[in-house]
């Protein structure tokens, strides 16, 4: 599940993964978006990663709509989530939006009976290429007090996109092995 | 992340197959509320059942959200009428979504009737599965997976 403030690049992450994945490993990417390409309900991308000990692994990637007023939709999509990528917008002027979205994630997870401290969860600092990007140290301090794995990314060129995906997929599989949830 | 054993799966598949047959539908899908396909029957070769499952679950979740806002516990069924294909969606035992696609070879009345019967059977099967799951069982089949196995998945 990709979570984060509006226009932070959640859909762009999925689009890059979709473009760069072998046709046999992926299904259709579905975007329920408005006419202006803002996510309305969710994006969905099914992805096969191969086999572990005879078990086929298939991941379902979803994004939530980032805009504040779509909170009811976000709550629905969080039901049944196995792992979360928080996509932060590195631009200094989006810091408040990042914090608001992160608080919203924590609240909504709690409402569904999950806990950010326990669920597989990684952080992506997106838009590192922009001149107004805040230093990573500052983002880290503001958004990642738990010191979860964090990745720098430029989703539009693909930088950091697969590193982020692999990190969360690994955490999900590790949790599955542990017999979590 | 729930585990279903082969025997239970076969039982569920048999119910879905029978519903497909008895309802005269084009296809039947059984999906969990998170959008994972559990069983499918009928003319599914040209259906993108993965995408359908995700969207059906999204649809049911959205409808459930609407119900809650209207102080209804749940809308138990939905019907979409198309020019060629109609869709009947119902919720089984509060946790599964049963979808029947049908055309002029069947009718809404027949589909409803057969869905009601199949829902009862599915609920009984699920209840039996849950009862089994409560008993202490052998360690998770996933517990043997090593870090190396997981790393290997990403060596491409």
């Amino acid at each position: 599940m990709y979570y984060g403030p509006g226009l932070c690049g959640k859909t762009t992450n999925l689009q890059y993964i979709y473009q760069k994945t072998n046709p046999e490993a992926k299904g259709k990417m579905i975007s329920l978006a408005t006419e202006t390409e803002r996510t309305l309900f969710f994006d969905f991308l099914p992805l096969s990663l191969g086999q572990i000990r005879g078990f086929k692994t298939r991941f379902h990637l979803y994004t939530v709509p980032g805009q504040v007023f779509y909170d009811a939709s976000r709550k629905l999509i969080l039901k049944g989530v196995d792992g979360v990528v928080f996509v932060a917008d590195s631009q200094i002027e989006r810091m408040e939006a990042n914090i608001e979205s992160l608080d919203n994630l924590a609240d909504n997870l709690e409402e569904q009976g999950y806990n950010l401290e326990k669920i597989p969860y990684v952080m992506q600092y997106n838009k590192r290429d922009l001149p107004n990007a805040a230093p990573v140290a500052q983002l880290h301090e503001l958004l990642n007090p738990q010191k979860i794995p964090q990745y720098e990314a430029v989703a539009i060129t693909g930088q950091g996109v697969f590193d982020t995906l692999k990190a969360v997929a690994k955490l999900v599989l590790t949790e599955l092995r542990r017999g979590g949830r | 992340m729930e585990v279903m054993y082969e025997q239970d799966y076969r039982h569920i598949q048999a119910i879905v197959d029978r519903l497909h047959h008895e309802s005269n539908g084009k296809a039947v899908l059984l999906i969990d509320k998170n959008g994972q396909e559990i069983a499918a029957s009928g003319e599914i070769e040209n259906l993108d059942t993965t995408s359908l499952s995700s969207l059906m679950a999204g649809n049911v979740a959205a409808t459930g959200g609407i119900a809650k806002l209207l102080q209804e516990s749940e809308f138990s069924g939905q019907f979409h009428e198309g020019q060629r294909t109609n869709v009947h969606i119902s919720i089984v035992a509060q946790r599964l979504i049963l979808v029947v696609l049908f055309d002029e070879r069947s009718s809404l009345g027949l589909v409803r009737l057969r869905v009601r019967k199949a829902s009862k059977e599915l609920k009984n099967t699920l209840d039996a599965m849950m009862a089994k799951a409560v008993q202490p069982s052998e360690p998770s089949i996933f517990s043997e997976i090593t870090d190396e196995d997981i790393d290997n998945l990403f060596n491409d």
Side-chain angles (χ1 to χ4, degrees), chain A residues 24-42:
Chain A
E24 64 271 21
K26 69 188 174 192
K28 222 181 273 165
M29 177 164 168
I30 289 177
S31 283
L32 301 181
T34 65
E35 284 177 8
T36 52
E37 296 194 14
R38 302 298 305 270
T39 304
L40 180 64
F41 195 12
F42 58 76

Side-chain angles (χ1 to χ4, degrees), chain A residues 144-166:
Chain A
N144 191 6
Q146 298 162 254
K147 301 190 172 57
I148 55 159
Q150 55 182 29
Y151 299 87
E152 294 183 45
V154 184
I156 205 147
T157 65
Q159 186 197 322
V161 167
F162 275 97
D163 292 336
T164 312
L165 173 64
K166 283 176 188 179

Side-chain angles (χ1 to χ4, degrees), chain A residues 51-152:
Chain A
Q51 293 204 353
I52 295 186
R53 305 212 164 197
F55 294 109
K56 283 185 203 156
T57 58
R58 190 164 74 173
F59 287 82
H60 284 181
L61 310 183
Y62 285 88
T63 68
V64 298
Q67 294 179 84
V68 174
F69 63 93
Y70 287 134
D71 198 39
S73 303
R74 271 195 297 279
K75 285 182 192 180
L76 295 177
I77 300 159
L78 271 178
K79 284 182 186 172
V81 64
D82 294 316
V84 178
V85 174
F86 187 85
V87 182
D89 189 329
S90 292
Q91 299 178 89
I92 291 170
E93 54 271 38
R94 295 297 286 162
M95 226 37 68
E96 225 170 287
N98 286 328
I99 293 168
E100 190 185 356
S101 177
L102 198 53
D103 287 346
N104 177 255
L105 169 63
D107 287 348
N108 285 344
L109 277 175
E110 202 175 321
E111 215 172 282
Q112 307 292 343
Y114 300 102
N115 184 334
L116 256 191
E117 317 253 316
K118 292 196 181 132
I119 197 166
Y121 166 43
V122 302
M123 176 72 64
Q124 180 185 82
Y125 304 132
N126 192 22
K127 308 195 187 183
R128 295 309 303 160
D129 58 328
L130 295 184
N132 53 345
V136 168
Q138 189 188 343
L139 290 158
H140 177 87
E141 199 188 320
L142 272 173
L143 304 173
N144 191 6
Q146 298 162 254
K147 301 190 172 57
I148 55 159
Q150 55 182 29
Y151 299 87
E152 294 183 45

Side-chain angles (χ1 to χ4, degrees), chain B residues 26-119:
Chain B
K26 286 167 80 168
V28 177
L29 292 175
L30 186 68
I31 304 160
D32 80 5
K33 274 196 168 178
N34 301 330
Q36 302 273 3
E37 177 190 325
I38 294 171
S41 183
E43 302 164 26
I44 49 173
E45 308 78 40
N46 297 318
L47 276 183
D48 180 353
T49 55
T50 305
S51 297
L52 272 176
S53 298
S54 166
L55 288 173
M56 293 288 179
N59 186 350
V60 165
T63 310
I66 294 168
K68 222 170 161 189
L69 288 175
L70 299 177
Q71 271 101 46
E72 282 286 334
S73 62
E74 193 169 68
F75 294 122
S76 56
Q78 292 183 50
F79 172 55
H80 301 296
E81 190 171 357
Q83 286 200 334
R84 285 187 306 275
T85 304
N86 309 306
V87 186
H88 184 276
I89 305 170
S90 58
I91 298 169
V92 177
Q94 277 130 42
R95 46 196 303 229
L96 298 182
I97 303 165
L98 183 58
V99 180
V100 181
L101 307 180
F102 64 99
D103 57 18
E104 75 285 346
R105 289 172 289 175
S106 184
S107 69
L108 181 57
L110 178 65
V111 169
R112 271 204 182 128
L113 187 71
R114 300 307 190 200
V115 161
R116 212 172 295 149
K117 181 180 156 213
S119 295

